[in-house]
Amino acid sequence: MADLITVENPDDPRLRDYTGLTDVELRRKREPAEGLFIAEGEKVIRRAKDAGYEMRSMLLSAKWVDVMRDVIDELPAPVYAVSPELAEQVTGYHVHRGALASMQRKLLPTADELLGSARRVVVMESVNDHTNIGAIFRSAAALGMDAVLLSPDCADPLYRRSVKVSMGAVFSVPYARLDSWPRGLESVREAGFTLLALTPDDKARSLDEAAPHRMDRVALMLGAEGDGLSTKALMAADEWVRIPMARGVDSLNVGAAAAVAFYAVATGRPVV
């Protein structure tokens, strides 16, 4: 059973895992280096726990203690009970859901380990917006993608905002980072995958024409919002594919485009 500890000092060193959560650059460097990430909200905390992540501690406002009682009683990690005002002082924002947990990261698998059993893979290049990362993982989980591969400069899927937007889907879709880019794509091809680059370019075939659902193994490549896939990434692809647009719209947000493309890759249903 966890210890329930009331904390009244925002500078208490036991709350260090939760300090400055709105400082993106600080947390982006600190969390992977210290092997932790922050889960926010009851559902996300439970999903992280159920996915096998070890809990370091919890930070709860008083009214959430009863809600999380079964988790508190089950786990040995300390639980810090604080006022909403103190939680805001520590984290830097108003914690609307009243419950935070510091979780221990797991060792990431290698890309080769994931590719061995996967058939439908997402490959992201330079996607640095945490909201987009979370949205793409949520769609990948919902629409049957088997794994996610990230270029070295992609944002952290376990950053608090990504986890929150994904509603914990980052815990259910395995992911790995490619060691080099775009050279790492060659290992994906060698594993038997057809590399499909999603782009609004007129030279690309529509997803309906390409029929990725009929391919044995597909790696769908997505680029960052605005810039899209780099020239090097496009040149490394086996084929360019696009989502047909109407009413003069040239493209979709990468999160929305990913969901449409995943649906076509997994089911072969028309996207027009």
Side-chain angles (χ1 to χ4, degrees), residues 101-210:
S102 175
M103 312 295 293
Q104 191 71 37
R105 290 174 183 251
K106 299 178 183 179
L107 185 66
L108 283 181
T110 66
D112 288 344
E113 288 171 339
L114 294 186
L115 292 172
S117 58
R119 292 188 62 248
R120 299 288 182 261
V121 171
V122 187
V123 182
M124 290 192 235
E125 180 190 30
S126 304
V127 180
N128 286 309
D129 183 278
H130 293 102
T131 298
N132 285 334
I133 287 277
I136 291 169
F137 265 88
R138 187 171 184 180
S139 294
L143 297 169
M145 303 301 284
D146 299 319
V148 174
L149 300 179
L150 305 170
S151 69
D153 58 348
C154 273
D156 179 13
L158 292 183
Y159 180 72
R160 177 178 58 90
R161 180 65 178 165
S162 299
V163 173
K164 184 177 179 180
V165 171
S166 80
M167 288 299 294
V170 293
F171 309 138
S172 61
V173 182
Y175 70 93
R177 287 193 183 270
L178 293 167
D179 293 332
S180 61
W181 187 267
R183 189 180 307 162
L185 292 172
E186 191 55 40
S187 64
V188 182
R189 181 181 288 107
E190 290 173 354
F193 286 82
T194 300
L195 294 167
L196 300 183
L198 190 65
T199 171
D201 195 290
D202 290 338
K203 297 176 184 177
R205 283 209 296 169
S206 74
L207 279 164
D208 293 342
E209 293 172 339

Side-chain angles (χ1 to χ4, degrees), residues 31-271:
E31 291 183 10
E34 297 183 17
L36 67 93
F37 70 91
I38 300 298
E40 180 178 2
E42 177 195 0
K43 289 182 179 179
V44 172
I45 292 172
R46 291 183 184 278
R47 287 172 183 172
K49 178 182 73 70
D50 291 344
Y53 287 93
E54 180 183 349
M55 186 177 292
R56 295 161 59 108
S57 66
M58 269 199 292
L59 182 72
L60 303 177
S61 58
K63 71 176 184 178
W64 284 91
V65 172
D66 288 340
V67 175
M68 302 300 293
R69 174 57 64 183
D70 59 317
V71 177
I72 294 171
D73 290 345
E74 182 182 344
L75 299 174
V79 179
Y80 303 116
V82 300
S83 68
E85 294 75 19
L86 189 137
E88 184 170 352
Q89 283 182 274
V90 172
T91 64
Y93 72 105
H94 179 63
V95 185
H96 298 284
R97 298 177 186 271
L100 295 168
S102 175
M103 312 295 293
Q104 191 71 37
R105 290 174 183 251
K106 299 178 183 179
L107 185 66
L108 283 181
T110 66
D112 288 344
E113 288 171 339
L114 294 186
L115 292 172
S117 58
R119 292 188 62 248
R120 299 288 182 261
V121 171
V122 187
V123 182
M124 290 192 235
E125 180 190 30
S126 304
V127 180
N128 286 309
D129 183 278
H130 293 102
T131 298
N132 285 334
I133 287 277
I136 291 169
F137 265 88
R138 187 171 184 180
S139 294
L143 297 169
M145 303 301 284
D146 299 319
V148 174
L149 300 179
L150 305 170
S151 69
D153 58 348
C154 273
D156 179 13
L158 292 183
Y159 180 72
R160 177 178 58 90
R161 180 65 178 165
S162 299
V163 173
K164 184 177 179 180
V165 171
S166 80
M167 288 299 294
V170 293
F171 309 138
S172 61
V173 182
Y175 70 93
R177 287 193 183 270
L178 293 167
D179 293 332
S180 61
W181 187 267
R183 189 180 307 162
L185 292 172
E186 191 55 40
S187 64
V188 182
R189 181 181 288 107
E190 290 173 354
F193 286 82
T194 300
L195 294 167
L196 300 183
L198 190 65
T199 171
D201 195 290
D202 290 338
K203 297 176 184 177
R205 283 209 296 169
S206 74
L207 279 164
D208 293 342
E209 293 172 339
H213 64 290
R214 296 196 182 100
M215 299 176 183
D216 183 42
R217 304 182 108 179
V218 175
L220 183 69
M221 298 163 56
L222 304 172
E225 186 72 26
D227 294 336
L229 290 165
S230 67
T231 300
K232 288 183 178 180
L234 289 169
M235 295 305 294
D238 294 309
E239 186 172 355
W240 297 3
V241 294
R242 62 181 174 83
I243 299 169
M245 297 285 108
R247 296 192 174 94
V249 177
D250 60 352
S251 64
L252 296 173
N253 165 276
V254 66
V260 174
F262 296 166
Y263 187 69
V265 168
T267 70
R269 300 289 178 84
V271 294

